[in-house]
Amino acid sequence: MLTPQESRPPGGLRNGLRIAIAEDSVLLREGLTRLLAEAGHVVVAAEADAEAFLRAVASCTPDVCVVDVRMPPTFTDEGLRAALVIRDRWPEVGVLVLSQWVEEQYATELISGRPHGVGYLLKDRVADVAEFLDALRRVADGGSALDPEVVAQLLARSRHPLSVLTRREREVLALMAEGRSNSAIAETLVVSGGAVGKHINSIFSKLGLAAGEHDHRRVLAVLRYLNGVTS
Amino acid sequence: MYLVRDLVSPRTWLAFIHHFIGVALGAAVLWIVVPGMLAGAMGMPIAMIGMPIIGATLRLTDWFARTERARFAVTLGERIPAWPAGSRSGYRMRLLPRLAKLSERATWREVLYALSRGPLSAAAAFVCLGVWAVALVLVTLPLYNWSLPGGGAHLDGRTLHESKAVLVSLAGLLVLLAAPQVTRGLAAADAAFARRLLGPPGGLAARVAELELSRERVVDAAEAERKRIERDLHDGAQQRLVALAMELGRAKAKFADDVDAARDLVDQAHAQAKAALTELRDLVRGVHPPVLTDRGLDAALSGLAARSPVPVDVHVDMQVRPKPAVEAVAYFVVAEALTNVAKHSRASQAKVVVEGHGFPGALTVVISDDGVGGADARGPGLAGLADRVSGVDGQLTVESPRGGPTIIAAELPC
């Protein structure tokens, strides 16, 4: 086993991410490993249960982990708990949680006031390889990636009224909550970057939020607003 | 007219006989139960020797209670419900009553019944016999009078005249007409008494009937649900997977000569696969999502709210998590109600309110919308829902006048 210092690619050059996988289904584990390898990443560990996975993370400190929520032995939320342990003990390691289900409650627990280097996506999203790799890269770089379905749930259960927003502003808000950058939002909605900036300013002033400079500050503000996520 | 008919009706005479059989049985049982209980009580301090004696006596009162239920059915046509099977404790080694049996109210009611059978029947038989005797004597008094050589019977030292004798016999006739009613009335009172001491409490009997019905409905509802899932799987995900396999097969064939067409087919297959995943997830979302078990109702309702095409406002206020079965039913009610809102209501807004009232207490789930109303509470969908709710002893109320709004409320004990 290589020590982290030896195996980490030289700073700045981060083409290939070092990735640890926790997934109990052999089919998916192998599939993910192959997919990531084809994209030029290095899978440093692929484990089938949470305990072995945590040991692997401790020994080889990956850039980012991909974790399934339901794993043996109880098949409830082992993966989520392992993800929380990683976020607590190794804050610099990005965590991307994949699940057959996404739930606003799990997202809230996972982020718990710190939307840096964290992602929570439906497993289906892996099928759109480019987008999945993009989300993974975002998480590894300290950003966030929330599944649109989670965001829909957050919007549906918002503690505050969103009726003051226009339809376009709600779309921008949802994409922001997913953790997208201004340029990604502009690309998705097919508008200019300037227009997105205007929408964001309008949203923040309408909702009475203090706009942050960085993407993840904004994500935090939005999530706090939607679900009372406390820091 | 029925007063006359009752004079000869079998019911009257069966009731009459009933009282006399009661005297005979009651006396016999009294002679066994009283010494049995006394001997048992006295034998208790001596190394519990009294226990088997009490056991034997209780077995007798047990048997007597069963016999009496049969007797009431035969002579009076009165069905006294037996205790539900398995609700009473039995004996060890056929003779030693289990301790629980000694603290059961039903046991001592049967003993009390055995003790009071004789005296009560005796009193009833005495009254019956008396009424009939007085009636017959009074009615036949003129005949008696006429047959006497002395020209009249003597009552209290006075001679009974012809005219008075007719009056007396008229009074006798009235008593005679009343006699069957007295006989039957006493029998009815006797049956009520027996039902009170031998039958399970009225509420319990009704509850047993209700549970039998609701169990049947729950089994039916579960069966209907299984069929629906099978159909959804067959029409949805399975068809998608067939289409997916087909498109991949065609793509494979095209790769050799028409790479662009093959690429299109792969794109389509890709889309099919994703749609199949979504459908499967939605299917399970409508049945029992894992988050319901892991995090409870509040968390699970977020998924339903997000899935609904009609905007839904969800309010959950409960201090304690209810039992899993109640949670599952509450979830199912919301899922079905929101599906109906999306399909039929043409509503622009829906609201889900879940409130817990204490534990143990009740969980109320109310789903309302501002749609067109007219939901049929007896239609298969809502009736199935009511069945599921009845399975946890809850109650479903549907209010949906034409023109709306629709309010569906479930109250679930937990």
Side-chain angles (χ1 to χ4, degrees):
Chain A
M1 184 68 65
L2 294 166
T3 62
Q5 284 74 20
E6 286 166 332
S7 58
R8 210 174 258 287
L13 211 165
R14 292 190 60 198
N15 275 336
L17 294 169
R18 301 177 69 255
I19 301 171
I21 299 175
E23 164 66 69
D24 62 309
S25 147
V26 182
L27 211 60
L28 275 178
R29 196 165 64 232
E30 293 304 312
L32 267 176
T33 307
R34 208 169 304 156
L35 185 150
L36 292 170
E38 278 167 11
H41 300 304
V42 184
V43 175
V44 291
E47 303 292 346
D49 69 85
E51 266 182 42
F53 169 66
L54 284 176
R55 277 198 301 275
V57 171
S59 67
C60 58
T61 324
D63 298 318
V64 62
C65 313
V66 178
V67 190
D68 182 15
V69 171
R70 287 178 116 179
M71 272 191 295
T74 64
F75 295 95
T76 54
D77 60 352
E78 287 78 4
L80 192 74
R81 277 184 272 139
L84 290 175
V85 169
I86 293 170
R87 276 174 64 69
D88 184 46
R89 233 185 273 168
W90 299 285
E92 73 286 355
V93 176
V95 177
L96 177 60
V97 175
L98 285 184
S99 175
Q100 211 75 280
W101 308 91
V102 287
E103 305 291 351
E104 147 292 293
Q105 177 85 48
Y106 289 168
T108 308
E109 289 168 23
L110 189 61
I111 296 161
S112 60
R114 203 167 57 85
H116 320 294
V118 63
Y120 183 31
L121 296 177
L122 272 176
K123 273 190 188 161
D124 312 14
R125 310 297 176 209
V126 180
D128 290 313
V129 179
E131 269 198 49
F132 170 68
L133 292 175
D134 180 50
L136 190 67
R137 172 68 75 183
R138 217 155 69 221
V139 170
D141 287 345
S144 51
L146 275 189
D147 198 274
E149 198 167 296
V150 175
V151 173
Q153 290 183 20
L154 283 168
L155 290 173
R157 290 299 297 272
S158 170
R159 304 265 162 95
H160 309 280
L162 295 170
S163 46
V164 289
L165 302 182
T166 63
R167 221 178 62 120
R168 184 38 69 98
E169 282 166 354
R170 288 181 68 141
E171 286 169 354
V172 173
L173 182 76
L175 288 167
M176 232 188 325
E178 285 174 28
R180 312 266 179 161
S181 65
N182 280 18
S183 52
I185 295 174
E187 206 175 302
T188 311
L189 297 178
V190 204
V191 291
S192 71
V196 170
K198 248 173 55 195
H199 284 310
I200 291 175
N201 283 335
S202 164
I203 291 167
F204 273 70
S205 71
K206 276 183 183 174
L207 302 184
L209 298 174
E213 277 301 299
H214 298 288
D215 289 351
H216 66 252
R217 299 284 323 156
R218 292 187 339 205
V219 173
L220 183 59
V222 169
L223 291 179
R224 265 201 201 137
Y225 181 78
L226 289 176
N227 207 24
V229 175
T230 50
S231 49
Chain B
M1 193 58 216
Y2 74 92
L3 287 175
V4 178
R5 201 177 51 215
D6 282 352
L7 281 173
V8 292
S9 138
R11 276 187 61 188
T12 305
W13 293 103
L14 279 170
F16 190 81
I17 295 167
H18 171 85
H19 295 309
F20 285 91
I21 302 177
V23 174
L25 281 174
V29 170
L30 203 60
W31 278 109
I32 308 174
V33 172
V34 171
M37 291 313 269
L38 285 178
M42 285 190 294
M44 274 308 192
I46 315 161
M48 306 286 275
I49 279 175
M51 206 53 154
I53 305 178
I54 293 212
T57 316
L58 289 182
R59 290 207 71 132
L60 175 81
T61 55
D62 249 6
W63 168 85
F64 186 53
R66 276 199 301 278
T67 314
E68 284 292 272
R69 278 195 203 98
R71 185 168 72 96
F72 274 85
V74 171
T75 54
L76 302 183
E78 289 275 0
R79 208 181 81 80
I80 297 168
W83 284 80
S87 67
R88 304 275 309 272
S89 339
Y91 302 85
R92 286 174 211 279
M93 294 180 286
R94 295 176 165 269
L95 209 56
L96 294 175
R98 290 182 184 276
L99 284 181
K101 185 154 192 88
L102 295 180
S103 61
E104 268 173 16
R105 191 177 291 183
T107 308
W108 300 107
R109 284 184 170 197
E110 281 174 3
V111 172
L112 179 64
Y113 180 85
L115 292 177
S116 44
R117 175 74 288 156
L120 279 181
S121 279
F126 179 74
V127 172
C128 282
L129 204 60
V131 170
W132 284 100
V134 166
L136 288 176
V137 165
L138 290 183
V139 167
T140 52
L141 201 58
L143 200 68
Y144 175 62
N145 216 19
W146 169 76
S147 66
L148 279 181
H154 294 273
L155 279 178
D156 290 342
R158 284 175 293 161
T159 315
L160 194 68
H161 295 293
E162 287 288 329
S163 54
K164 278 244 175 98
V166 172
L167 266 182
V168 166
S169 86
L170 274 179
L173 206 59
L174 287 181
V175 177
L176 185 64
L177 288 179
Q181 307 310 320
V182 171
T183 310
R184 285 188 186 194
L186 284 171
D190 196 19
F193 169 76
R195 183 172 298 124
R196 190 152 172 73
L197 286 191
L198 297 184
L204 185 59
R207 177 103 184 97
V208 169
E210 182 192 309
L211 283 181
E212 273 171 5
L213 193 69
S214 99
R215 183 178 61 181
E216 200 174 304
R217 291 170 61 189
V218 169
V219 171
D220 286 350
E223 193 54 36
E225 179 72 1
R226 277 160 49 103
K227 278 189 191 137
R228 186 180 69 82
I229 293 170
E230 186 273 332
R231 205 168 48 236
D232 283 358
L233 278 176
H234 180 264
D235 297 349
Q238 212 172 358
Q239 301 301 326
R240 293 250 182 233
L241 290 177
V242 170
L244 165 69
M246 222 159 61
E247 263 145 26
L248 285 177
R250 284 171 60 206
K252 218 164 95 182
K254 287 245 160 127
F255 261 122
D257 44 57
D258 191 350
V259 178
D260 281 341
R263 191 166 291 132
D264 282 349
L265 283 168
V266 170
D267 275 351
Q268 279 175 35
H270 191 217
Q272 292 280 12
K274 286 192 288 182
L277 282 172
T278 309
E279 266 173 30
L280 279 174
R281 199 167 37 246
D282 278 352
L283 179 67
V284 178
R285 180 76 83 191
V287 181
H288 190 117
V291 71
L292 184 57
T293 319
D294 294 353
R295 295 291 188 278
L297 197 55
D298 194 358
L301 291 182
S302 300
L304 282 182
R307 193 176 64 144
S308 164
V310 178
V312 185
D313 220 2
V314 182
H315 293 276
V316 181
D317 179 16
M318 52 186 179
Q319 308 304 320
V320 198
R321 264 188 82 171
K323 285 182 291 189
V326 171
E327 255 183 356
V329 170
Y331 181 86
F332 186 73
V333 168
V334 177
E336 283 293 299
L338 287 182
T339 309
N340 284 346
V341 168
K343 269 194 205 155
H344 311 295
S345 75
R346 283 183 265 156
S348 64
Q349 181 74 39
K351 194 169 178 179
V352 176
V353 179
V354 179
E355 277 175 351
H357 307 285
F359 186 87
L363 185 73
T364 52
V365 182
V366 180
I367 305 101
S368 51
D369 67 51
D370 60 353
V372 295
D376 180 9
R378 276 159 299 165
L382 285 175
L385 208 55
D387 291 346
R388 277 288 289 267
V389 169
S390 82
V392 291
D393 269 342
Q395 208 150 33
L396 188 82
T397 329
V398 178
E399 215 175 283
S400 184
R402 283 207 181 279
T406 301
I407 301 171
I408 293 178
E411 187 157 350
L412 310 167
C414 57

